[in-house]
Amino acid sequence: MAEAATTPAITDELDETASIAQELIRFDTTNYGEGRANGEREAAEYVEAKLSALGLAPQLFESAPRRASVVARVPGRNPEKPALVLHGHLDVVPADPRNWSVDPFAGEVRDGMLWGRGAVDMKDMDAMMLTALGDILRSGRQPERELVVAFFADEEAGGDYGAHWLVEHHPELFAGATEAISEVGGYSITVGGTRAYLLQTGEKSLLWVRLVATGTAAHGSRLIHDNAVTKLAEAVARIGRAEWPLRLTGTTTELLAAVAGVLGVDPQQVSPDELALATGSASGFITATLRTTSNPTLLEAGYKHNVIPDRAEALVDIRTLPGEEEEVLAAIRELAGEGVEVEIVHRDVGLEASTTGPLVDAVAGAISRHDPGAPVFPYLLSGGTDNKALSRLGIAGYGFAPLRLPEGIDFPAMFHGVDERVPLDALSFGHRVLRDLLLEY
C-alpha cells in the first residue's frame, strides 16, 4: 500500500524521527487484550513502505485479521558476527480521551514535546529505528552486523498475535541472531546530580490471572452469605495488599551498588528501597523490581442492582522475580481463599542477560559519544517486552531506546499513563545514538 494513502503529511517543523513518531501515533492501534484490538494493519503497512523505500525487502505477516507484524533483514559489513534483532511493537494500550489534555491519537506537539498514546511505549523507538536505519542506508553504509528488524503486533497483550506467533510459526526469520535490542531502557536518570542511563538487562516474569468467585444467585433483599461478589472482593483485597518479601537479583544488586557509588554511600548500610528512591522518578520502575507485585486491575460482576449474581471475576497483574513463578502462584491461590478459583490467563518467563560483554560496552560507548562522562547502569525491568518471546530461540534481550531526558520528568509515569509524551530533542538524541550503535557493534 502506498505510504501517502495511509498516513498524514509529514510536519515540516519536526525532524524526521519526530515526524515518523507523530504519524505512527495517528494510527489508533489500541490493543484491549484477550484478542480484542483495533489491529496494527495500517501502521504495519506504513512501516513496510518506509523499509521498502530504504531498499529493503520487508515481509508483512498477519497472525489473524488485521494483526500485522513486519520483519526485514539488513545486511551487515561483518558476516562473521551473529545477527542482532532490533525490534519494536506497533500496538498501544487504550487511552480514554476524557482524561487527556490532548487527543491521544492526534500526535500533537506542545511545549517541546510530542504527545499521544505510544509516544514512549513505543512508537518513539519505532521511529528511531526507522531513522537510524535511514541514516545508515541512505549514506551507502551498512550496519556492522546483519540486523533482523521487526515491528511486532500484540506486545501489549503478551505477544500471542505478534512476537510469540512469529517465533512459533516462522523461527527462520531470526536465524543467526544471538542478541536483541528493544524498549524500556536507554533513558536517562539523575542520581545525586549526575546523569546516568539505564540499560535494561532483564525483566520480571509475567503472570496474569483471573479470579473467579461463585455463589448463590438471589434477590438483592435476601440474607445471602454465599455471595460471589463478597468472596471476590475479599480475595482481591488480600492479594492487592499482600506484602511480598524483598529479594535482589544479580542485576538489581549491581544497579544498587552503582547508585551507591554515585552517592558515595555503602550499599550495605543503606536499604535497597532507599537506594531505589535515590534514582528519582525512575524509582517508579526500580522499586517494583525489588520484590513481586500483585495488582488487581479489573472487576466484573452482576447485571442489576437488586440481583445477587452467582459469579464475579477479577483480573490481577502479577510480576514475579525470575524463578519465583511457581512459589508466587501457590501463594496467590492461598490468598484467594475458599470458593475463589485462580485461572492463568497469560504467563511468560523472567529474563536476566549478562550485564557485561561487547554489546554492553558498545552501548556505553555510544552513550559516551553523545553524552560524555555519563555512566550506564544495568537494571531489571518491572514489566515485560517481546524479548520474552525471542528468548525461546536463545536470543538474549536488552532494552535500549536511548533518550536524554530533562531532570524532573516522571518518565515511568508516561508508560500506559495519561498525557503520555516525549521531548522532541530526546527523539533526535535517541536516533543518533542508535545509529552509531548499529554502525559500530
Side-chain angles (χ1 to χ4, degrees):
M1 183 179 293
E3 182 180 324
T6 62
T7 65
I10 289 179
T11 308
D12 291 339
E13 64 268 23
L14 300 180
D15 74 6
E16 185 182 19
T17 307
S19 295
I20 291 174
Q22 180 186 61
E23 291 172 349
L24 286 170
I25 287 169
R26 291 175 177 174
F27 295 108
D28 183 352
T29 54
T30 298
N31 188 344
Y32 299 96
E34 299 192 27
R36 297 189 304 114
N38 292 346
E40 301 84 3
R41 179 79 199 197
E42 288 77 17
E45 289 171 340
Y46 168 82
V47 167
E48 181 185 31
K50 287 286 187 184
L51 294 171
S52 295
L54 294 176
L56 302 174
Q59 296 175 270
L60 190 149
F61 299 88
E62 272 195 334
S63 56
R66 298 188 49 75
R67 308 311 306 274
S69 300
V70 178
V71 181
R73 284 255 175 180
V74 183
R77 290 193 307 271
N78 191 338
E80 301 301 315
K81 290 186 176 182
L84 174 71
V85 182
L86 179 66
H87 64 98
H89 63 83
L90 297 171
D91 61 323
V92 297
V93 297
D96 186 344
R98 295 172 297 181
N99 300 329
W100 284 56
S101 303
V102 300
D103 180 344
F105 297 103
E108 183 172 330
V109 174
R110 180 191 294 185
D111 303 325
M113 295 192 176
L114 175 63
W115 298 56
R117 179 57 87 217
V120 303
D121 188 12
M122 63 173 293
K123 291 177 176 179
D124 59 338
M125 176 63 166
D126 293 336
M128 286 189 273
M129 290 164 56
L130 289 169
T131 53
L133 286 173
D135 281 2
I136 294 169
L137 298 178
R138 286 194 294 258
S139 67
R141 295 175 290 178
Q142 289 180 303
E144 170 63 13
R145 64 182 66 214
E146 185 178 28
L147 302 177
V148 180
V149 182
F151 296 84
F152 292 126
D154 199 40
E155 190 274 346
E156 296 293 1
D160 287 342
Y161 292 94
H164 276 292
W165 186 87
L166 284 170
V167 164
E168 181 180 350
H169 292 88
H170 295 282
E172 72 281 357
L173 294 171
F174 309 101
T178 58
E179 295 170 315
I181 291 175
S182 188
E183 59 176 330
V184 205
Y187 60 93
S188 67
I189 63 174
T190 302
V191 179
T194 297
R195 184 165 57 236
Y197 291 81
L198 293 176
L199 173 64
Q200 191 249 100
T201 60
E203 51 191 64
K204 293 174 80 176
S205 305
L206 186 154
L207 184 60
W208 287 341
V209 302
R210 178 184 290 108
L211 307 180
V212 180
T214 55
T216 303
H219 194 285
S221 66
R222 290 185 57 192
L223 179 62
I224 300 293
H225 296 292
D226 186 30
N227 187 306
V229 175
T230 302
K231 285 190 283 188
L232 179 72
E234 291 170 343
V236 165
R238 286 191 295 269
I239 292 171
R241 292 177 179 150
E243 294 288 340
W244 300 95
L246 176 78
R247 185 170 78 83
L248 304 184
T249 69
T251 304
T252 307
T253 299
E254 189 172 338
L255 168 65
L256 296 182
V259 171
V262 171
L263 297 175
V265 300
D266 183 349
Q268 302 301 317
Q269 302 300 316
V270 182
S271 76
D273 284 301
E274 287 180 271
L275 290 172
L277 289 173
T279 64
S281 63
S283 64
F285 281 150
I286 294 170
T287 55
T289 66
L290 307 181
R291 53 184 59 82
T292 287
T293 58
S294 53
N295 288 306
T297 55
L298 185 146
L299 297 169
E300 187 173 56
Y303 46 89
K304 196 174 188 296
H305 206 140
N306 63 346
V307 179
I308 299 172
D310 60 3
R311 183 182 176 94
E313 299 183 2
L315 300 182
V316 185
D317 186 340
I318 303 164
R319 308 296 174 119
T320 84
L321 295 167
E324 290 191 350
E325 298 91 320
E326 289 300 329
E327 178 185 344
V328 170
L329 184 57
I332 290 293
R333 295 190 192 280
E334 185 174 346
L335 287 167
E338 189 175 349
V340 180
E341 293 296 320
V342 178
E343 300 176 352
I344 297 175
V345 176
H346 186 80
R347 180 176 180 173
D348 217 332
V349 297
L351 305 172
E352 280 195 284
S354 175
T355 60
T356 61
L359 175 55
V360 176
D361 292 343
V363 164
I367 287 291
S368 180
R369 189 169 300 107
H370 293 272
D371 195 351
V376 175
F377 300 156
Y379 90 111
L380 185 74
L381 177 64
S382 58
T385 73
D386 282 326
N387 281 328
K388 292 183 184 300
L390 295 175
S391 73
R392 297 186 176 188
L393 300 175
I395 297 172
Y398 292 82
F400 187 64
L403 295 170
R404 183 169 58 198
L405 300 171
E407 186 174 356
I409 188 171
D410 190 353
F411 191 62
M414 301 297 173
F415 287 79
H416 300 189
V418 172
D419 287 342
E420 183 179 346
R421 58 198 183 275
V422 64
L424 297 175
D425 57 0
L427 292 173
S428 180
F429 171 87
H431 124 252
R432 296 194 305 271
V433 173
L434 189 61
R435 174 199 62 206
D436 289 356
L437 176 65
L438 299 179
L439 280 170
E440 296 178 18
Y441 175 61

